[in-house]
Amino acid sequence: MRWDGQKVDAGEGGALPGLDLRTLPGLVRSVRTPDFAGVTFHEVLSRTALNRVPDASAVPFRWTVNPMRGCLHACTYCFARGTHRYLDLDAGKDFDTEIVVKTNVAEVLRAEVARPSWRREHVALGTNTDPYQRAEGRYALMPGIIEALAGSGTPLSVLTKGTLLRRDLPLLVEAARDVPVSLAVSVAVLDDELQQQLEPGTPTARARLSLVRAIRDAGLPVHVMVAPVLPWLTDSTDHLDRLFAAVADAGAQHATVLPLHLRPGAREWFLAWLARERPDLVDGYDRVYRGGSYALAEYRAWLTARVRPLLARHGLDRAPDDAGGTGRWEAARDVPHPASAQLQPSLF
């Protein structure tokens, strides 16, 4: 379909070792291109586009669309890393370099939302891997997805770190005339050096804040996800205050702040990075995350108390009007913060 002549010589089945039609149904071919050095794209024909969220989930929507699996953003802490293990790939380097692309996702979605049984429930994008990661510039899947949802009268939300969303702003403005559209941009690290260590494949914070401004200039509401906040690395009052000031200056109406959580897959990869780059913090992280994937309730409550006055100072504490989209979903996923808990600095 794309990049003719770049097919990987992978033998029978067209896939690299470790991937076959049992682990990756619908596989058409695996390709590489000099534009994405070290990356292999596994192009698949998917039979479904809509993913139903389990009924037990606390999120305020029931449907998602994920056009790709794996992510070129290569965020060390990405909670979705563990999902690559279902493909017999690892949650570390493979997640960053073995990218599954559902090349027919817009076509399949268009058929699904045209069914008489479709109830036009809210659909969220960016709940697993980023739909505007750099590969979207090659595959251009999002315009068809947006058109399919808006054309069927289906509300949608997008959460991204990718400035490529700017390309689709005219389409999103048009879609917003017909259905509720919620946009959120994730910005968590102002320091360029630290940001490139933690998120080596992402645009800088400055570039993402410029996207926030572009969304506002286009007349669409936007809020910012300050997530994840990392203990000792990005949770100082100074860093958060400067970040909130920049977010407010960019025109965001609201910011949601969430601490790092470390699910299996992400936990091992991030803690390995921490041991290499900041071994002085390893013991502290062992204490904060000794209960499992989520930071201790005491830390979450402490962080909430720290950010509350800062958000108010910059006018970012208003509830987002996002049609049940990304803001409330993120809050539902990672909160509550026990209001009565007190953080003792000696704990951390």
Side-chain angles (χ1 to χ4, degrees), residues 32-318:
R32 294 177 180 147
T33 170
D35 292 341
F36 296 85
V39 176
T40 303
F41 295 98
H42 305 286
E43 298 179 348
V44 302
L45 296 179
S46 180
R47 288 190 288 183
T48 62
L50 288 165
N51 308 301
R52 184 172 178 85
V53 178
D55 291 337
S57 173
V59 301
F61 53 79
R62 287 292 169 261
W63 300 95
T64 67
V65 173
N66 297 299
M68 300 184 195
R69 297 180 65 171
C71 190
L72 296 176
H73 287 339
C75 300
T76 58
Y77 51 74
C78 181
F79 71 87
R81 286 185 172 276
T83 63
H84 242 44
R85 291 172 172 169
Y86 300 128
L87 305 177
D88 290 336
L89 296 168
D90 71 57
K93 185 178 179 181
D94 286 350
F95 183 82
D96 303 336
T97 60
E98 305 283 345
I99 310 299
V100 178
V101 184
K102 302 173 185 178
T103 55
N104 66 334
V105 64
E107 177 186 349
V108 173
L109 177 62
R110 194 173 297 113
E112 289 178 332
V113 296
R115 294 171 181 166
S117 59
W118 175 241
R119 300 172 60 184
R120 297 177 179 83
E121 298 177 67
H122 181 99
V123 173
L125 297 128
T127 62
N128 190 26
T129 56
D130 199 317
Y132 282 107
Q133 60 177 289
R134 193 160 57 95
E136 168 61 15
R138 280 288 194 174
Y139 284 97
L141 303 176
M142 282 298 289
I145 292 171
I146 295 167
E147 289 171 347
L149 293 172
S152 68
T154 300
L156 66 128
S157 63
V158 181
L159 171 62
T160 187
K161 296 176 182 175
T163 53
L164 187 57
L165 182 145
R166 189 188 295 257
R167 178 201 67 191
D168 291 344
L169 272 177
L171 185 59
L172 288 162
V173 169
E174 183 178 348
R177 298 190 182 106
D178 300 320
V179 298
V181 173
S182 169
L183 301 179
V185 179
S186 177
V187 187
V189 186
L190 272 182
D191 178 78
D192 287 346
E193 182 178 355
L194 180 60
Q195 180 258 327
Q196 283 301 301
Q197 288 180 337
L198 290 165
E199 310 166 346
T202 63
T204 65
R206 186 179 302 107
R208 283 180 255 174
L209 291 169
S210 177
L211 172 62
V212 171
R213 172 58 64 188
I215 294 171
R216 289 291 286 140
D217 289 346
L220 294 174
V222 58
H223 72 270
V224 168
M225 301 300 304
V226 180
V229 173
L230 297 100
W232 292 285
L233 291 170
T234 63
D235 63 354
S236 71
T237 299
D238 175 68
H239 177 266
L240 292 168
D241 191 46
R242 289 186 292 112
L243 178 55
F244 295 160
V247 167
D249 185 63
Q253 299 108 315
H254 175 79
T256 300
V257 181
L258 299 173
L260 173 71
H261 67 286
L262 294 173
R263 296 183 186 176
R267 186 185 187 97
E268 298 87 343
W269 194 245
F270 175 79
L271 292 180
W273 174 88
L274 194 72
R276 290 193 309 270
E277 303 295 332
R278 291 297 306 269
D280 56 307
L281 298 182
V282 170
D283 287 346
Y285 272 77
D286 285 345
R287 293 194 299 273
V288 174
Y289 292 92
R290 65 176 179 260
S293 298
Y294 293 88
L296 290 178
E298 292 89 348
Y299 178 85
R300 300 199 308 265
W302 173 84
L303 182 62
T304 298
R306 169 164 285 189
V307 303
R308 186 180 293 118
L310 299 177
L311 289 171
R313 177 188 303 171
H314 296 289
L316 295 171
D317 57 344
R318 299 181 297 273

